[in-house]
Amino acid sequence: MVVMHAKGGDGGEDDDDIDGSSLLSPQGSQRRLATENHSTVTEFILGGLTNQPKLQLPLFLLFLGIYLVTVIGNLGMITLICVNAQLHTPMYYFLGNLSLLDFCYSSVITPKMLVNFVSEKNIISYAGCMSQLYFFLVFVIAECYMLTVMAYDRYVAICSPLLYNITISPLVCSLLVAVVYLMGLIGSTIEISLMLKLPYCEVLISHYFCDILPLMKLSCSSTRDIEITIFFLAGFNIIVSSLTVLVSYAFIFSSILHISTREGRSKAFSTCSSHLAAVGLFYGSASFMYLKPSTASSLAQENVASVFYTTVIPMLNPLIYSLRNKDVKAAMQKTLRRKMF
């Protein structure tokens, strides 16, 4: 049973338990009652991707396959970078951290989604919901800045190759990665503190995980101020990081065009193409989700965009970087030969 504990007002009235069926009633009296009595939701119901029973098993198998590829790909990339000395460079140090972030934020979402496909009651506790949202935001915001750091690394490598080892020293690498995770923690803490202040009077989340916009729709009070604040926070993270990436690549392309040989231009561009693909996929879907009013798109469109950046992108990133990178492919072949012989 999904329970909302209503704390009585000044008159000292007893607490009332309201069952899930009444909470899901389409009538507005529920919202008014919750607002008046300062109701506290203890559990939420996740609406999931579909309510059609015949699609639950196929979707479970599909997302299980995607998650397995994500886990194997990202943990494999981290392992490959750790065990191969030729990959102990700043570029692959950042790539290893990107793989860690992809693995983490996918693991915050996908296992719970898989359980819900085969479960009759898609229930998540209030604490579990807020924890899921918090860690998801930590890793997603950190990924924004990790992609920015990787763009800066490519900028220094191509535009100032003679100063690369000094500019991107091991200490600088460690500091940049520390800042990336710090930005994730700060941004997530601010946003989750805003969500914790909201009173909730409905429990059905029209989504497959606890995300900001679906949760705001369940609030008893106006979310206008919080929505504007979160819009600007998301805008700051996405716009600042994406502008840094764009400026870095503007200088990179300018330097590439000044390379005299065709072979040199091709080699320089090949080192950036994988990162450009990852940046385009991530920022495109994230911008669609968060840089718009909450009513600007349909639930189906939001679900497609969310699925793309929470499950598909973490799977694609290691494939993009391994299939389009000669160093990674060479290291993979060397590791496989070492294991076989």
Side-chain angles (χ1 to χ4, degrees):
M1 179 183 294
V2 179
V3 178
M4 291 176 63
H5 299 294
K7 299 178 182 178
D10 295 336
E13 297 167 2
D14 294 337
D15 291 357
D16 295 328
D17 286 348
I18 305 172
D19 63 24
S21 60
S22 65
L23 288 174
L24 300 179
S25 169
Q27 293 162 19
S29 59
Q30 176 76 47
R31 184 178 291 272
R32 289 193 300 272
L33 178 63
T35 305
E36 292 167 3
N37 290 337
H38 311 291
S39 297
T40 302
V41 174
T42 59
E43 291 176 333
F44 290 106
I45 300 172
L46 292 169
L49 286 175
T50 180
N51 56 7
Q52 299 184 35
K54 63 181 181 180
L55 294 178
Q56 300 293 333
L57 182 58
L59 286 174
F60 170 80
L61 295 174
L62 172 64
F63 285 101
L64 177 61
I66 290 174
Y67 184 61
L68 288 175
V69 174
T70 300
V71 171
I72 294 169
N74 285 292
L75 293 185
M77 181 67 75
I78 294 170
T79 304
L80 196 66
I81 292 169
C82 289
V83 301
N84 286 275
Q86 69 266 34
L87 299 182
H88 291 177
T89 64
M91 175 182 173
Y92 294 106
Y93 176 67
F94 297 137
L95 178 56
N97 279 277
L98 180 70
S99 294
L100 177 62
L101 290 171
D102 282 333
F103 167 74
C104 287
Y105 86 74
S106 178
S107 296
V108 169
I109 304 298
T110 310
K112 178 61 179 174
M113 180 172 64
L114 292 174
V115 170
N116 289 343
F117 280 132
V118 295
S119 174
E120 292 183 4
K121 296 181 179 180
N122 301 340
I123 293 174
I124 185 169
S125 68
Y126 178 86
C129 184
M130 292 302 162
S131 297
Q132 184 185 58
L133 176 59
Y134 177 77
F135 287 107
F136 172 69
L137 290 173
V138 168
F139 298 127
V140 168
I141 294 171
E143 177 136 345
C144 277
Y145 290 99
M146 186 60 70
L147 290 169
T148 306
V149 167
M150 293 174 74
Y152 174 69
D153 171 70
R154 291 300 82 205
Y155 159 74
V156 176
I158 293 174
C159 298
S160 304
L162 298 178
L163 298 175
Y164 182 75
N165 290 331
I166 298 172
T167 307
I168 310 294
S169 65
L171 177 59
V172 171
C173 288
S174 299
L175 288 174
L176 287 173
V177 170
V179 169
V180 163
Y181 287 108
L182 184 62
M183 292 299 293
L185 288 168
I186 292 172
S188 181
T189 301
I190 293 172
E191 294 191 24
I192 203 69
S193 65
L194 295 173
M195 300 305 294
L196 288 171
K197 292 178 182 178
L198 286 177
Y200 299 96
C201 56
E202 296 180 21
V203 296
L204 180 58
I205 300 173
S206 300
H207 207 37
Y208 62 92
F209 74 99
C210 295
D211 201 2
I212 290 176
L213 299 181
L215 275 172
M216 283 198 297
K217 294 176 183 178
L218 308 184
S219 176
C220 309
S221 61
S222 171
T223 61
R224 176 178 171 80
D225 292 341
I226 292 178
E227 187 173 341
I228 291 172
T229 304
I230 289 175
F231 174 83
F232 280 109
L233 284 171
F236 176 83
N237 290 323
I238 293 174
I239 293 173
V240 168
S241 56
S242 61
L243 277 177
T244 305
V245 171
L246 289 174
V247 171
S248 296
Y249 273 101
F251 284 110
I252 287 171
F253 289 140
S254 176
S255 294
I256 289 175
L257 291 175
H258 285 88
I259 297 175
S260 57
T261 64
R262 182 176 179 180
E263 183 182 352
R265 289 195 297 269
S266 177
K267 184 178 179 180
F269 184 76
S270 67
T271 65
C272 304
S273 58
S274 298
H275 182 252
L276 273 175
V279 166
L281 290 171
F282 182 82
Y283 283 108
S285 54
S287 298
F288 176 83
M289 280 299 300
Y290 297 111
L291 295 185
K292 63 175 182 54
S294 58
T295 56
S297 61
S298 69
L299 177 62
Q301 290 175 324
E302 290 183 359
N303 279 342
V304 169
S306 292
V307 165
F308 197 74
Y309 79 85
T310 58
T311 59
V312 177
I313 288 178
M315 176 191 70
L316 290 178
N317 277 345
L319 297 177
I320 291 171
Y321 281 101
S322 60
L323 294 176
R324 298 182 62 86
N325 190 298
K326 293 180 180 179
D327 292 336
V328 172
K329 287 191 285 188
M332 194 180 301
Q333 292 170 357
K334 181 180 177 181
T335 302
L336 290 175
R337 284 197 302 267
R338 190 187 305 161
K339 294 294 182 182
M340 292 175 64
F341 301 104

